[in-house]
Structures are given as structure tokens and as C-alpha cells.
Amino acid sequence: MIEAKNKLGIVFFPAFDWAITPSHPEREERLLYTMDQIREEGIFDIKGIKTYNPELATEKDIQRVHFCYPDVKSVVPQPHLISAGGAITAAKCVMENQTDKSFAIVRPPGHHAHRVVYGDRGFCIINIEAVMVENIRQHYGNKKIAIVDTDCHHGDGTQDIYWNDDQTLFISFHQDGRTLFPGTGFVEEFGGPGAIGYNINIPLPPGTGEQGFLYVLDNLVLPILEEYKPDLTINSAGQDNHYTDPITNMNFTAQGYAKLNDKLDPDIAVLEGGYSIEGALPYINLGIMLAMAGVDYSGIKEPDYHPDKIKQAPEITEYIKRVCEQIYVAWKNKDQISQKALKGRQWVTRQRQIYYDTDGIMEHQTENIKVCKKCPGLIIIKSNASRGGKDSIFAISIPRNACNQCIDEGYRKYKKQSTIRYNKVFLQDKVNDLFKAK
Ligand SMILES: [Zn+2]
Ligand SMILES: [Zn+2]
Ligand SMILES: [Zn+2]
């Protein structure tokens, strides 16, 4: 009998009864082929690999992260609560030492869900990693956490939620936003005033292969993680960089994903995208499981794998080297960059338009972050969305480690804000784990 070097927990939830449409690429078969494959390969005969049933994320879990309009009940369908709950279960296994590592193979995904939620974007409604991370902090103390997003799409929702939080280092590598949804994730997006340098994007050209991904990991991601020293590392494990994925243009392999996971050595992996449901997902998910369990994965290979067909062009190799150097220099100089950017400023404002492609909603948002010397700063969001009628919200988020002044200012602003100008006024107090709405 093979024995796992690391005890591994698997949470599996295919959401049988939920899909955007029956033939949509994000459907239950994404996980069913994986299940068949891992059963066939005898994964559950390996000593030390165990399955766990997902729990249900609660309304409170969601409110720690999101402002759902008009409320959680109306916008979050139950499969999403189970998917986020699956991630929470995976985290519990690790936090309570039942397992060394865990992998939540769940759907629907979550990394395109921003702080404000009017509906579905990029097949995501709530951010399952963020819901998990805030649940961990609430139950096991304020951990320093790194989230490494290896999905082919920019993890724009996770970026938005942790934009101003230096206790959460967010690193995303993805296909360049000029060539793929959601069109963001550039090197210049480097974090809010309280966390400049703690949001790292590595845009990669279409056609990037194994060589490029592993170069980024070895020469940029691992050195940064070594300096940051997180208490926990989480992998947003999107499998859509595969050369057979129908909605992206990358050339990564199952073997490459297993190596990447092995080197990154995450405590928890949470499945995100991946739409080549027969040709890629079963092999990648199996490779990641073996890598996490510390079992030999060198035999993992897709039946149609031909290394010559997916070889990375030399120009791409050169380009990636330059991008990595540029980002590493910025990381090293983040304190100077921050001082220069914030000099003499009291508030930092961002105006954004966020398109909910799945639901056809356009949101206009103004985000104001207070520049505070004692804490990461209060966040004030004014937003409206058009879908027939007009919906508008005013939302205040008090950060987890806010100073007393910022807490008081948050409550004052909530009290003062009238409900005539806005359909909903929200207050998210992360210090006291409270949520208010009027
Ligand atoms: Zn990504
Ligand atoms: Zn994706
Ligand atoms: Zn403050």
C-alpha cells in the first residue's frame, strides 16, 4: 500500500443541480471526470488521503467579505454557499491538524467576485477563498496569509477584496489582460494606500508554457514568499492554463501544474477555473493531489501530450524574464514607492467600472480609502448598477486592524448617511465582526 507523506484532505462538491445554462463550460462534468479518474487511479487507496463533506457557509461568513445587494439571501444561491463552505471545511482540516494539507475540489468558482456583489461575474458570485480566509481569521486568529492565484484569468475579485490589506499578500499570474477576461491584472496594480506592494500581478503572454510558469515561480513568487513569511499559503488553483483549455490561450501541462504545486507547497488549494473537462482537469487535479500528498507524480501525462507542439517561443521566455525583474525591483522598493505615492494625501480614490458579464450588469464604483498613519485606513464605497432600474449603495468597511479613530469615523459615517440618496447603506466592522444594513 502506498502511504502519503503528507496527510491530505479532499473536499469534493460537484453542485449537480446548478449551472448557468446546461451547456455552459462551468458545469458539473468539470468535476465528474476528475472523480472518475482519481477513483480509477486508486487515490483513495493511498493511506493518508481522506475525503470530507463540505459544510454550508453562513450569511455571516459572506458578510465578513462582501456587500451583497440587496442582501445575501437574494443574490447567493445555495450551491455557492456549499462551494465556499467546502473551502472552509478544507481549511478546518488543516487548522485543526486533522490533515497536513487539503484540496477543495468544488464549484462554482469564486475569484472574480469583488467586495460588492450585484450578481454573477466570470461564473462567480461570492469569493470562496476570501470567505474561507476570513473564516480562518475569525476562528483561529489573525493569520498572515498569502494567496497565490494560478488560474489563467486575473483573480480580480480577490485583488479587490485584499487591495488594502498587507496581512494578505495576493499574487496572481495569468494571461495578459489585453488578451483575456477580465482585462485587468497589470503590473501597476500594486495595492491600496495601506498595502502598496502587497498585490502582485504577473501578466503572461498567450502561448506561455511550462518553462515560463516555472520560471516565474522560481525567480519571483518563491523569493517574495520567502521574504513575506506567511503563516498560511493558499493556492487558488485554476486549471485553465492547460494547452487544451477552450477559453484561454496558454500551453501549460498537468505535469507542470503538479511541479508548480510541489514547489509552491501550499497548505490549502481551492479549485477555481478549468474548462477542458475531459482532456485536462482529471490529469491536473490528480497531479496536484499527488503533489500535495507527497506521492510520486512523475507518471502523470495527458494521452495527447506532445512536448514539441507546446514549446515556448524564445521571445516569450525573454519577455517573462524582463517582467519578473521589473516586479521584483518594485517589490524590493515598495516602501519608497508607497511614501512617494501617499505624500500629502488624506484619501486615495479609485473610479471603476465593473462588468458582470454573466448577468449583464454594469457597476460604477467610487472607492475612497483613508490614508491613516495608525492603520490600513477606512474604506468608503459608493456604487450604482444599472439593470433596468437603478440600484445604489453606500458601503463602509472598517479594516480588521483599524485604529480607534477609523472605527469611530466609520460608525459616524454610517449613522449620518441617509437612505434617501442610496437604496442601501452598509457597515462592515471587521474589528468587532459586525455587519449592519439600512
Ligand atoms: Zn490567476
Ligand atoms: Zn479562469
Ligand atoms: Zn486608522
Side-chain angles (χ1 to χ4, degrees):
M1 193 190 219
I2 306 176
E3 196 172 334
K5 234 195 268 163
N6 310 316
K7 268 196 267 167
L8 176 68
I10 305 280
V11 182
F12 182 81
F13 175 67
F16 289 113
D17 56 350
W18 192 86
I20 292 161
T21 61
S23 61
H24 193 279
E26 206 292 280
R27 62 181 187 272
E28 68 185 56
E29 282 87 347
R30 288 183 62 224
L31 306 197
L32 300 183
Y33 283 103
T34 290
M35 205 30 141
D36 284 352
Q37 176 95 356
I38 61 182
R39 282 229 173 89
E40 219 166 89
E41 297 285 333
I43 276 285
F44 299 112
D45 299 334
I46 298 175
K47 201 174 161 218
I49 299 187
K50 257 185 86 177
T51 53
Y52 293 83
N53 286 326
E55 59 197 278
L56 204 63
T58 63
E59 188 173 4
K60 181 128 188 137
D61 284 318
I62 312 305
Q63 288 169 338
R64 260 181 216 128
V65 173
H66 294 291
F67 296 114
C68 293
Y69 179 85
D71 52 43
V72 173
K73 276 197 186 76
S74 346
V75 285
V76 187
Q78 199 180 44
H80 295 256
L81 295 174
I82 308 174
S83 178
I88 291 173
T89 303
K92 268 192 187 158
C93 289
V94 172
M95 300 312 295
E96 291 172 8
N97 291 320
Q98 296 178 49
T99 64
D100 299 310
K101 289 162 176 279
S102 61
F103 186 8
I105 305 180
V106 295
R107 63 171 287 269
H111 76 150
H112 296 305
H114 287 230
R115 196 189 291 273
V116 173
V117 176
Y118 287 101
D120 191 328
R121 71 186 295 281
F123 328 149
C124 306
I125 296 178
I126 50 170
N127 195 301
I128 60 177
E129 278 92 2
V131 170
M132 171 185 82
V133 162
E134 296 317 307
N135 182 286
I136 291 175
R137 287 184 164 134
Q138 207 50 50
H139 291 98
Y140 309 99
N142 191 9
K143 308 268 175 226
K144 201 168 154 189
I145 294 177
I147 303 176
V148 181
D149 185 317
T150 49
D151 189 280
C152 190
H153 301 90
H154 175 224
D156 60 339
T158 316
Q159 164 170 308
D160 180 53
I161 292 161
Y162 292 112
W163 181 246
N164 199 48
D165 184 351
D166 67 355
Q167 294 292 300
T168 314
L169 171 66
F170 179 61
I171 303 178
S172 177
F173 38 134
H174 43 263
Q175 185 175 327
D176 194 311
R178 290 170 295 187
T179 64
L180 190 69
F181 177 87
T184 50
F186 299 102
V187 175
E188 297 72 28
E189 295 159 44
F190 206 43
I196 292 179
Y198 297 93
N199 186 91
I200 293 177
N201 285 308
I202 309 146
L204 300 170
T208 298
E210 182 148 333
Q211 195 192 348
F213 283 96
L214 297 177
Y215 183 90
V216 171
L217 191 73
D218 287 335
N219 296 282
L220 184 63
V221 176
L222 292 179
I224 289 176
L225 287 175
E226 209 153 285
E227 289 163 36
Y228 184 70
K229 294 188 178 42
D231 300 317
L232 269 181
T233 302
I234 290 155
N235 180 202
S236 268
Q239 328 296 32
D240 42 8
N241 283 293
H242 195 263
Y243 61 87
T244 60
D245 199 278
I247 67 172
T248 62
N249 316 93
M250 299 303 230
N251 278 332
F252 209 28
T253 60
Q255 187 58 229
Y257 266 111
K259 275 186 207 152
L260 185 146
N261 182 282
D262 193 3
K263 286 170 179 248
L264 180 65
D265 193 23
D267 301 288
I268 303 159
V270 178
L271 181 71
E272 279 290 341
Y275 307 98
S276 171
I277 54 179
E278 253 185 290
L281 276 169
Y283 304 95
I284 300 171
N285 288 333
L286 175 64
I288 291 179
M289 271 186 225
L290 293 177
M292 289 188 95
V295 174
D296 176 33
Y297 55 80
S298 59
I300 302 289
K301 206 189 281 173
E302 304 82 341
D304 66 346
Y305 174 71
H306 292 291
D308 295 342
K309 267 203 262 173
I310 51 170
K311 223 172 158 225
Q312 183 174 298
E315 312 83 86
I316 294 185
T317 307
E318 279 313 304
Y319 178 84
I320 291 175
K321 274 189 186 168
R322 284 201 306 276
V323 172
C324 286
E325 266 168 37
Q326 184 197 347
I327 297 168
Y328 193 65
V329 169
W331 162 260
K332 281 289 188 194
N333 293 314
K334 57 185 177 304
D335 294 341
Q336 288 102 297
I337 294 172
S338 173
Q339 275 168 18
K340 210 176 143 199
L342 301 180
K343 210 174 166 208
R345 300 184 70 171
Q346 287 180 318
W347 290 87
V348 169
T349 302
R350 281 199 297 175
Q351 301 268 5
R352 297 188 302 149
Q353 297 204 42
I354 301 154
Y355 185 56
Y356 294 67
D357 59 312
T358 315
D359 275 349
I361 300 166
M362 180 63 97
E363 177 190 354
H364 300 270
Q365 192 186 104
T366 306
E367 175 201 73
N368 286 298
I369 303 176
K370 189 181 167 189
V371 179
C372 180
K373 285 204 169 68
K374 290 192 216 124
C375 80
L378 198 61
I379 303 173
I380 312 278
I381 294 167
K382 295 173 199 169
S383 142
N384 62 68
S386 44
R387 43 175 174 189
K390 207 174 154 191
D391 300 310
S392 65
I393 67 167
F394 184 93
I396 302 157
S397 180
I398 299 173
R400 215 179 311 111
N401 38 353
C403 69
N404 286 335
Q405 254 168 309
C406 284
I407 298 173
D408 291 347
E409 191 173 344
Y411 275 87
R412 266 204 313 277
K413 283 195 153 59
Y414 177 74
K415 232 179 175 171
K416 218 177 73 186
Q417 191 56 58
S418 90
T419 46
I420 300 164
R421 268 185 72 192
Y422 295 94
N423 296 90
K424 279 275 181 186
V425 178
F426 295 115
L427 174 71
Q428 181 184 61
D429 172 359
K430 293 197 177 187
V431 178
N432 302 299
D433 199 25
L434 287 172
F435 189 86
K436 288 170 172 284
K438 61 180 181 184

